[in-house]
Amino acid sequence: MSKVTDLVKRLFIGRALRSTQLHEQLLPKRIALPVFASDALSSVAYAPQEILVILSLAGVSFYNFSPWVAVAVVVVMLTVVASYRQNVHAYPSGGGDYEVATVNLGPNAGLTVASALMVDYVLTVAVSVANGVDYVGATIPYVAEHKPLVAIAIVVLLTLVNLRGIRESGAAFAIPTYAFMFAVLGLIVWGSFRVLVLGDELHAPTAGYEIVAEQSNLTSFAAAFLILRAFSTGCAALTGVEAISNGVPAFRKPKSKNAATTLLMMGLVAVTMFVGIISLGLASGVKVADPAVAFRDVLIDGRPAGPGYYQQPIISQVADAVFGNGSLPFFVISAVTALILFLAANTAFNGFPVLGSILAQDRYLPRQLHTRGDRLAFSNGIVILAAGACLLLWGFEADVSRLLNLYIVGVFVSFTLSQIGMVRHWSRHLRTETDPKVRHQMYRSRTINFFGGVMTGVVLVVVLLTKFTHGAWIVCVAMPVLFLMMKGIHRHYENVARELAADDSVVDESILPARNHAIVLVSKIHKPTLRALAYARATRPSKLEAITVGVEGAEARELQEEWERRGIPVPLKTLDSPYREITRPILEYVKSLRRRSPRDVVSVYIPEYVVGHWWEHILHNQSALRLKGRLLFQPGVMVISVPWQLHSSDRLKGRPEPLAPGAVRRPRREAARDEDIKA
């Protein structure tokens, strides 16, 4: 079984890497951009459309507000990018928003940010994959009919790729991400050239459609609220910006400089694509409505579109208007858009495990999340992220509209607290800095972070007000639950550390037992028993005795007679068991020894079989396992297993150690070479 498991693991994940090869996994800027920016870049596939969808609730006339909404989103995006460039220079360790908030605002603020980011990372995977499945489902009916199942399969595939290591997954995802960037930028350049230079009129497939307003005759307050809701939905374009600040350790040196440069490139490309798509969409007359009611609210030639109506995404409609339906560029853009939505989840697969590792190092999450796997990735964090995303996709049936309402709340919580923390960071350093040039730079950085904090704080309030009843309340519940869970884990680790701490000045007398009372458990006289007796005698305990449980009187007498006949130099004591129990009589006897001599340690030697087949474990050692499980909770009792290898275990001799996440193993050829050298 171990051979099969090893083969499967090597097939899907690859050969294990040494810890010393970690530097080889660091990323140059050309690979880091697609690895960390795919989420932010992919948002242009749905953020412009979602703005128009919300405004369409009041009719097509409200599309006139979309340029102003887009400008507001762009201002926030550029502000956040500029703010995070300060973050990566000030805190290059990879803690990102969590570290900034913890250092400057305290542990509770840091945990709040961590809770928000963890929720947002899981939602990033779910939303991106669900949106990608929607694009594919438009052309493949089977995918549309089995959306949750296909989405979960995609998450599993992304998980396997990321388990192979950050460098390998980055190389695999770089080409599709760059293809999406160049395809969309080419679409924007050619479309703008046709409109501005050639004077062509672009016509989207839905340009002649009408949309029935669900909310007509809105009051000024209601209209403002609807516009704010469109703005909050469009701010989904900002998700993923924080990923680079959390992934600074993955960059090649100089880490901070390379991370800041990559962040700037990502911001400029994302803004260009966002503005270009929504501008060409408006110029070509794109009409989009809420997908749930589009069949009813979209009118074609004055009649409802009907149940079979499929609403093309905004990028597909713009590509149709610019290049023509059925053209090669149209199909290329549709294909790379669907692909980038799947790959956008990769940003979370790189951010979540790193954040989990830092939280585990700070004792807020289980320590296993700080362990690197075979390919030097944080495998446990990757698996947990995938499991959470799969649960969301299954629970919400991979419905983008429902999942999107949960989105961006968490990320704007982290944005806001991080920028407030950076303002305090610069204020603290300004108190001690005397160099005028450096102080000027600090004042500029503080101003940027202050403006970023105000902007993201306003957006957070807007998001909560406009999305709370549409599903955002779930995130508002999930974050406190995660917060309290991490506080509980931290409290447990701190209590254990205090309990186990050794005092240098005082010697704990309970650690130094007066005597060692050794007990060897005997079921019958055979080789394992004799080995356990020999080992116990070799340890030279203060007192040594053998114990057997007399379930059947005749068997107990025969064992006693054989014991005396063999002349075994260890006294044998028989414990009565009228109810045929094995564990309880031994446990009671050990407790009685401890009561009589509390300062004595009792060492219990248990002979155990070592077997070579999984089914043999079921047939042997069950009593020993139950007894050990009970004895381990008894203070002052040591449990020693004395193994006896059966012939079936010979098949495992010489086999390499079982594979475990985080273990550094040598390739078999290297191990064989070392054995030859020794020979």
Side-chain angles (χ1 to χ4, degrees), residues 643-666:
W644 179 268
Q645 292 80 12
L646 297 177
H647 287 307
S648 64
S649 67
D650 292 344
R651 58 190 288 272
L652 301 179
K653 291 180 180 177
R655 183 170 294 183
E657 293 182 6
L659 301 181
V664 179
R665 309 164 191 86
R666 297 180 299 170

Side-chain angles (χ1 to χ4, degrees), residues 304-457:
Y309 173 68
Y310 167 68
Q311 182 171 263
Q312 279 187 306
I314 188 171
I315 290 185
S316 297
Q317 293 199 45
V318 171
D320 187 311
V322 173
F323 296 116
N325 189 14
S327 64
L328 179 61
F330 171 80
F331 285 114
V332 169
I333 288 174
S334 297
V336 296
T337 301
L339 191 56
I340 192 64
L341 286 168
F342 290 135
L343 301 188
N346 195 57
T347 298
F349 274 106
N350 286 286
F352 183 94
V354 173
L355 176 62
S357 168
I358 294 170
L359 289 168
Q361 196 173 14
D362 291 345
R363 299 181 176 182
Y364 287 110
L365 286 178
R367 291 169 181 167
Q368 292 87 337
L369 291 176
H370 187 56
T371 304
R372 292 186 182 270
D374 289 350
R375 303 289 295 180
L376 300 178
F378 295 110
S379 304
N380 293 325
I382 291 172
V383 172
I384 290 173
L385 172 64
C390 288
L391 286 174
L392 276 178
L393 288 168
W394 185 262
F396 287 85
E397 299 179 341
D399 188 330
V400 178
S401 299
R402 294 168 64 191
L403 287 169
L404 206 58
N405 287 322
L406 281 65
Y407 209 23
I408 78 173
V409 175
V411 75
F412 272 95
V413 170
S414 64
F415 282 169
T416 304
L417 290 178
S418 174
Q419 298 316 304
I420 294 173
M422 286 301 296
V423 170
R424 294 195 65 176
H425 167 83
W426 298 123
S427 298
R428 187 174 68 251
H429 283 275
L430 279 167
R431 297 192 194 104
T432 56
E433 184 59 54
T434 56
D435 188 337
K437 184 177 180 180
V438 176
R439 287 181 63 85
H440 175 72
Q441 292 175 344
M442 287 183 175
Y443 275 119
R444 184 189 63 186
S445 298
R446 187 173 68 171
T447 302
I448 293 173
N449 287 126
F450 176 78
F451 185 65
V454 172
M455 291 292 293
T456 55

Side-chain angles (χ1 to χ4, degrees), residues 230-359:
F231 168 68
S232 67
T233 303
C235 283
L238 277 73
T239 57
V241 173
E242 80 291 345
I244 290 180
S245 68
N246 293 331
V248 176
F251 284 79
R252 286 182 179 175
K253 295 180 179 180
K255 295 178 181 292
S256 295
K257 181 180 178 181
N258 288 337
T261 303
T262 304
L263 186 58
L264 178 61
M265 290 190 295
M266 180 201 70
L268 293 177
V269 172
V271 166
T272 302
M273 293 165 71
F274 178 82
V275 172
I277 290 296
I278 198 166
S279 299
L280 289 176
L282 293 173
S284 60
V286 168
K287 305 290 193 308
V288 287
D290 186 347
V293 294
F295 71 94
R296 184 191 67 204
D297 290 351
V298 174
L299 303 181
I300 303 175
D301 297 330
R303 291 191 297 268
Y309 173 68
Y310 167 68
Q311 182 171 263
Q312 279 187 306
I314 188 171
I315 290 185
S316 297
Q317 293 199 45
V318 171
D320 187 311
V322 173
F323 296 116
N325 189 14
S327 64
L328 179 61
F330 171 80
F331 285 114
V332 169
I333 288 174
S334 297
V336 296
T337 301
L339 191 56
I340 192 64
L341 286 168
F342 290 135
L343 301 188
N346 195 57
T347 298
F349 274 106
N350 286 286
F352 183 94
V354 173
L355 176 62
S357 168
I358 294 170
L359 289 168

Side-chain angles (χ1 to χ4, degrees), residues 507-651:
V507 177
D508 188 355
E509 294 296 331
S510 65
I511 299 177
L512 303 174
R515 293 177 301 173
N516 179 15
H517 191 133
I519 297 173
V520 179
L521 302 186
V522 177
S523 59
K524 61 181 65 176
I525 301 175
H526 48 24
K527 292 179 181 178
T529 298
L530 296 176
R531 172 177 287 184
L533 286 166
Y535 178 66
R537 293 179 65 193
T539 61
R540 300 183 181 278
S542 306
K543 183 178 181 180
L544 174 62
E545 61 181 341
I547 299 295
T548 186
V549 178
V551 176
E552 296 289 341
E555 289 183 3
R557 286 192 296 273
E558 290 175 5
L559 179 62
Q560 187 72 46
E561 291 171 1
E562 185 180 358
W563 193 273
E564 294 173 357
R565 186 173 67 252
R566 287 176 175 268
I568 298 174
V570 176
L572 175 65
K573 180 186 290 290
T574 301
L575 303 178
D576 292 330
S577 180
Y579 295 101
R580 300 163 303 284
E581 292 181 296
I582 301 295
T583 303
R584 186 180 295 276
I586 296 173
L587 198 62
E588 293 298 330
Y589 181 70
V590 170
K591 288 180 179 178
S592 68
L593 294 177
R594 289 283 300 154
R595 283 195 296 268
R596 287 200 299 267
S597 302
R599 286 199 56 197
D600 288 2
V601 65
V602 179
S603 300
V604 182
Y605 294 82
I606 305 177
E608 288 192 59
Y609 302 135
V610 179
V611 298
H613 299 94
W614 64 269
W615 51 268
E616 291 180 288
H617 288 280
I618 302 173
L619 305 178
H620 299 285
N621 298 327
Q622 300 306 307
S623 298
L625 286 173
R626 286 195 297 271
L627 182 60
K628 280 197 293 186
R630 299 291 298 275
L631 289 173
L632 288 174
F633 288 95
Q634 300 300 319
V637 177
M638 311 299 166
V639 183
I640 302 98
S641 295
V642 183
W644 179 268
Q645 292 80 12
L646 297 177
H647 287 307
S648 64
S649 67
D650 292 344
R651 58 190 288 272

